[in-house]
Amino acid sequence: MTKAVIVSGGNIQKDFALDFLKKYKEENFFTVAADKGLEFFMEAGLVPDAAVGDFDSLSGQGLVYLDTLSETEIVRLKPEKDDSDTQHALNYAIDRGAEDIVILGATGSRIDHLLANLELLLLGWKRGVRTALADPNNYAVLVKSGTVLEKARQFGSYVSFFPIGGNVGGLTLTGFKYPLRNYCLRPEDCGLTVSNEIKEDKAGIVFDEGVLLMLMTRD
């Protein structure tokens, strides 16, 4: 399975991002810098496989660094466009054959950007690609029915679930502190499935219909 890591221009904790890339080191993966995310690579002394964006957010140093990337595929976008740099980077990675994509630097102080990036999970889902957002405290992904989580490998202590675009029917959660059985999870049930915890060695997620967002959090 080909994997990709996209680094966007939001808040990036350098040590976390480097550790994430280190875990992928022995796997078949490639890296994509989305616009200002290129400055992470510059500051870390790394070279991305591709850089995508209009690059209007780069600093002067970033623009100089961009011009030095002779081995990197550069995809220059017009500032006036109908998608974000990160969205274009996601489509680029999918078109290159990525089947499992993690986006770093997708969270920050702009709620509008965060919501747009969360909707990228649905874009990846519809294109048949597993897509996740990750930062030091959060890991967000759409999960399939039949997903099994291992407590020893979970990201953080808490697991929350949210229906996307409508109800999630027949939701059953097993192995959690707060289990559910054949429940129709609606958007207005926003507090019911927040801050759950895995209690058994493995926890199961099963549902009959709908799109389910899972958020693993560390605080």
Side-chain angles (χ1 to χ4, degrees):
M1 176 181 293
T2 300
K3 298 185 177 183
V5 177
I6 297 171
V7 180
S8 190
N11 292 343
I12 301 175
Q13 207 282 333
K14 184 178 178 180
D15 291 339
F16 168 78
L18 288 174
D19 184 61
F20 210 98
L21 291 172
K22 184 178 179 181
K23 290 178 181 178
Y24 273 39
K25 186 175 180 180
E26 303 303 323
E27 302 183 43
N28 180 26
F29 84 104
F30 61 94
T31 55
V32 183
D35 203 75
K36 194 177 179 181
L38 183 64
E39 299 204 350
F40 161 77
F41 291 91
M42 176 183 70
E43 294 167 2
L46 301 173
V47 176
D49 295 301
V52 177
D54 53 31
F55 305 115
D56 60 352
S57 299
L58 289 183
S59 65
Q61 285 182 315
L63 290 171
V64 171
Y65 174 69
L66 177 65
D67 289 338
T68 68
L69 298 178
S70 58
E71 301 299 320
T72 297
E73 182 176 357
I74 309 297
V75 181
R76 295 182 183 271
L77 308 176
K78 295 180 179 180
E80 299 80 15
K81 54 189 183 298
D82 294 328
D83 58 358
S84 68
D85 296 314
T86 306
Q87 180 178 349
H88 202 99
L90 176 61
N91 280 316
Y92 168 89
I94 295 172
D95 290 342
R96 278 200 49 181
E99 300 172 286
D100 190 331
I101 300 172
V102 177
I103 305 175
L104 308 179
T107 60
S109 60
R110 290 279 299 269
I111 294 179
D112 56 343
H113 286 178
L114 174 59
L115 288 174
N117 289 333
L118 282 171
E119 290 187 349
L120 293 180
L121 303 182
L122 190 57
L123 171 61
W125 177 273
K126 289 185 175 181
R127 295 200 61 185
V129 173
R130 186 180 189 276
T131 307
L133 308 183
D135 67 23
N137 296 310
N138 306 280
Y139 185 90
V141 66
L142 301 181
V143 292
K144 295 180 179 180
S145 179
T147 293
V148 176
L149 305 177
E150 297 181 23
K151 184 175 177 61
R153 300 179 64 184
Q154 74 179 103
F155 184 103
S157 302
Y158 302 103
V159 187
S160 300
F161 299 97
F162 302 92
I164 300 298
N167 299 339
V168 172
L171 177 61
T172 297
L173 303 176
T174 57
F176 288 90
K177 182 178 181 178
Y178 306 107
L180 281 179
R181 182 168 182 80
N182 198 30
Y183 186 83
C184 181
L185 185 65
R186 302 162 298 179
E188 57 266 33
D189 294 327
C190 54
L192 179 65
T193 48
V194 173
S195 298
N196 211 331
E197 300 175 45
I198 299 175
K199 281 302 183 183
E200 307 296 333
D201 291 338
K202 294 183 180 180
I205 305 161
V206 176
F207 52 95
D208 297 330
E209 60 181 358
V211 180
L212 187 64
L213 169 65
M214 180 179 73
L215 276 167
M216 290 185 166
T217 54
R218 286 179 170 162
D219 61 1

